[in-house]
Amino acid sequence: MVQSAEHNINPEKISANALKVLDALTTAGFEAYLVGGGVRDLLLGLSPKDFDIATSASPEEIKPLFRNCRLIGRRFRLAHVVFGREVIEVATFRADHGQGEGGESRADGRIVRDNVFGTVEEDALRRDFTINALYYANHDAAVLDFVGALEDIKSRTLRLIGEPDVRVKEDPVRCLRAARFSAKLGFDVATDVRQAMTEHAHLLRDIPPARLFEEVLKLFHSGHAVQSFDKLREFDLLQYLFPVADDRLKRDDARFEAFVYQALQNTDDRIAEGKPVTPAFLYAVMLWPQVEKLAQDYLDEEPPVTAILRAADSVVTAQMAYTSLPKRFSVPMREIWAMQPRLERYQGKRALHLLRSARFRAGYDFLLLRSHVDSNLRERADWWTKTQESHPVEPDHGRRFPRTRSGKSSRSGTKSRAS
Ligand code: ATP
Ligand code: MG
């Protein structure tokens, strides 16, 4: 173990609430450290999203130290110390039993299902990448490194702790995490990790779609969507998340590629500007060409909107076997799609009516995106832009818009309200 006081962590960048929790735990006689992504980001001069704490105190010992402390989780209990909108997550040091050695459990009486409490070193060894296993003790401002993480930070390398084959097989989601961290931090993935990823990534097929949905959100809604997507393609992981999109890109569909990258760039821009983003839009983009293609086959029998919705049913059902999408997002996603034929055709009164519908903004944003790669749609997109400007929607209505709205144009005052 290396205990280093030579680091560039600026304690002023640590949340005051996290420092309070560290303080309270050490004062009560427990070991307590800042750990994980927070320490990594501080060392890299980034601003951490959140601060996690690891401690020798058990959940039952943590709880009485804080007024606003909830114990959560069934499989492994964690403490959440709540300060208004900020939640500091406090976890007891844990050791994964039998890690890589066949998974026999250690019957030492402290097993919580497949977890046992452990020492700080054991806690470090069960983490995924070395750079995510650094511990920062506030009382003496030292960084603890059990796994060569400081060197990996210096050489900007993502290295799995332990045997990469074993660690990837144990949890294939680590492949997606490698792509994500490599995108976010601009780190190289160590050669042996790449090899293990190539060999075992297919195990991602057995990961529940709901867990993969969570990873999709982290990959695409953390401000590095473009780089994350590039890394997924580089490591050939896209097939496990969005197989249809992967297939198109592998067949060099340049139009679709431009469409997707424009959407990812818009997402990154919105996040940089502090605007809300929704997975409904991202999924709408990834699945659109398939919906459009299938709908084509139904057009002889059905009107365009019905054809789209019928196509949507089968495309969405197939996608849910890979990554799920909760209903609160899949409903607006369908509405975005269903609005496309209307946006392409409506004039006059019907157009004004559509303009006032709750999902107009998202549908219109989607049409704009399509018009980026399809010059036939440009005139229509411009028409809607102008029509909106000359018929601003009353502000009350704006509130019912989906989370993709950019707000401004739909929130002009009642003075200019459409007649
Ligand atoms: P971010 O800044 O994106 O949140 P993070 O490193 O904090 O990055 P989290 O997913 O929040 O990532 O996880 C917190 C910590 O928990 C990680 O730093 C890592 O030490 C550990 N961890 C998370 N997921 C895994 C996993 N699948 N396998 C092993 N360790 C993990
Ligand atoms: Mg985190």
Side-chain angles (χ1 to χ4, degrees):
M1 191 264 282
V2 175
Q3 180 164 353
S4 169
E6 283 167 45
H7 55 72
N8 56 350
I9 289 186
N10 177 0
E12 280 171 19
K13 280 204 155 188
I14 303 172
S15 124
N17 294 324
L19 292 176
K20 270 187 226 159
V21 175
L22 285 174
D23 231 35
L25 286 161
T26 26
T27 306
F30 299 107
E31 276 181 85
Y33 305 94
L34 212 57
V35 66
V39 183
R40 175 198 71 212
D41 288 354
L42 286 170
L43 282 167
L44 290 166
L46 305 169
S47 300
K49 282 202 311 254
D50 40 41
F51 294 91
D52 296 333
I53 288 173
T55 178
S56 58
S58 70
E60 287 68 28
E61 288 167 326
I62 299 166
K63 190 156 169 49
L65 298 178
F66 304 98
R67 245 184 327 122
N68 311 316
C69 179
R70 294 191 304 250
L71 298 189
I72 58 146
R74 262 180 301 157
R75 206 176 82 129
F76 192 80
R77 300 232 288 167
L78 293 170
H80 274 181
V81 188
V82 183
F83 299 89
R85 288 178 59 197
E86 189 179 17
V87 177
I88 306 293
E89 192 172 290
V90 186
T92 308
F93 296 146
R94 109 178 97 127
D96 277 0
H97 57 87
Q99 196 178 80
E101 275 125 38
E104 299 109 357
S105 62
R106 240 170 38 188
D108 61 1
R110 301 196 79 188
I111 294 176
V112 185
R113 297 248 179 119
D114 57 342
N115 291 286
V116 289
F117 293 148
T119 64
V120 58
E121 177 158 14
E122 286 170 317
D123 191 76
L125 296 180
R126 67 162 181 98
R127 291 177 184 271
D128 52 359
F129 297 96
T130 60
I131 60 164
N132 288 344
L134 285 163
Y135 295 73
Y136 175 79
N138 188 54
H139 61 97
D140 59 359
V143 169
L144 305 191
D145 178 8
F146 302 93
V147 293
L150 290 169
E151 262 173 52
D152 288 337
I153 286 208
K154 227 178 270 166
S155 66
R156 305 182 74 79
T157 309
L158 271 171
R159 192 185 310 284
L160 278 166
I161 297 167
E163 203 52 60
D165 271 322
V166 174
R167 302 308 308 282
V168 169
K169 280 199 268 181
E170 201 173 78
D171 182 7
V173 169
R174 289 171 184 153
C175 298
L176 298 172
R177 290 176 59 84
R180 179 159 70 88
F181 293 126
S182 144
K184 168 178 166 161
L185 307 170
F187 277 30
D188 282 332
V189 179
T191 313
D192 58 356
V193 176
R194 278 172 192 261
Q195 281 163 355
M197 284 166 68
T198 308
E199 195 166 337
H200 306 298
H202 65 91
L203 296 170
L204 280 167
R205 289 206 197 97
D206 303 327
I207 302 295
R211 185 167 177 214
L212 293 184
F213 169 68
E214 294 300 321
E215 289 305 315
V216 164
L217 290 185
K218 290 184 181 183
L219 281 157
F220 297 115
H221 285 175
S222 306
H224 314 93
V226 169
Q227 294 97 317
S228 293
F229 196 75
D230 278 339
K231 288 292 172 187
L232 289 176
R233 292 178 75 189
E234 182 185 337
F235 300 138
D236 200 12
L237 299 170
L238 189 61
Q239 55 177 317
Y240 306 109
L241 301 178
F242 294 103
V244 172
D246 182 61
D247 188 55
R248 284 201 172 248
L249 294 171
K250 282 178 177 157
R251 285 187 286 116
D252 293 325
D253 182 338
R255 186 190 272 199
F256 179 59
E257 185 172 34
F259 180 62
V260 170
Y261 276 94
Q262 185 66 51
L264 297 170
Q265 188 59 57
N266 291 353
T267 305
D268 287 344
D269 292 346
R270 290 185 66 91
I271 288 174
E273 292 161 25
K275 291 179 182 173
V277 290
T278 168
F281 203 82
L282 178 78
Y283 274 63
V285 167
M286 294 294 171
L287 304 178
W288 173 246
Q290 191 71 358
V291 171
E292 217 181 6
K293 185 177 142 206
L294 262 187
Q296 208 61 39
D297 297 342
Y298 302 140
L299 274 180
D300 295 340
E301 308 149 42
E302 325 215 30
V305 173
T306 325
I308 293 241
L309 288 172
R310 201 170 138 195
D313 282 339
S314 60
V315 172
V316 171
T317 304
Q319 176 63 32
M320 299 299 113
Y322 291 83
T323 64
S324 62
L325 183 66
K327 230 189 178 130
R328 65 182 185 281
F329 303 122
S330 67
V331 170
M333 174 180 69
R334 280 168 204 266
E335 283 172 334
I336 289 172
W337 289 333
M339 213 184 284
Q340 298 310 303
R342 297 178 178 129
L343 287 165
E344 286 171 44
R345 280 177 194 78
Y346 283 11
Q347 305 275 356
K349 266 196 176 152
R350 292 167 94 195
L352 291 184
H353 188 71
L354 186 60
L355 193 63
R356 292 192 194 95
S357 76
R359 306 283 190 210
F360 173 79
R361 186 73 211 193
Y364 162 75
D365 283 345
F366 198 75
L367 179 74
L368 273 191
L369 194 64
R370 291 172 64 211
S371 75
H372 271 290
V373 295
D374 184 350
S375 55
N376 294 326
L377 292 171
R378 250 163 243 165
E379 208 180 304
R380 260 329 259 179
D382 290 345
W383 186 83
W384 280 108
T385 307
K386 285 198 206 94
T387 306
Q388 268 185 95
E389 280 161 8
S390 50
H391 297 85
V393 175
E394 56 210 86
D396 255 15
H397 213 109
R399 276 189 216 127
R400 298 215 315 267
F401 279 22
R403 291 183 54 212
T404 46
R405 69 167 189 261
S406 64
K408 287 202 187 82
S409 61
S410 61
R411 285 177 168 262
S412 36
T414 39
K415 270 177 288 177
S416 55
R417 168 179 170 173
S419 55

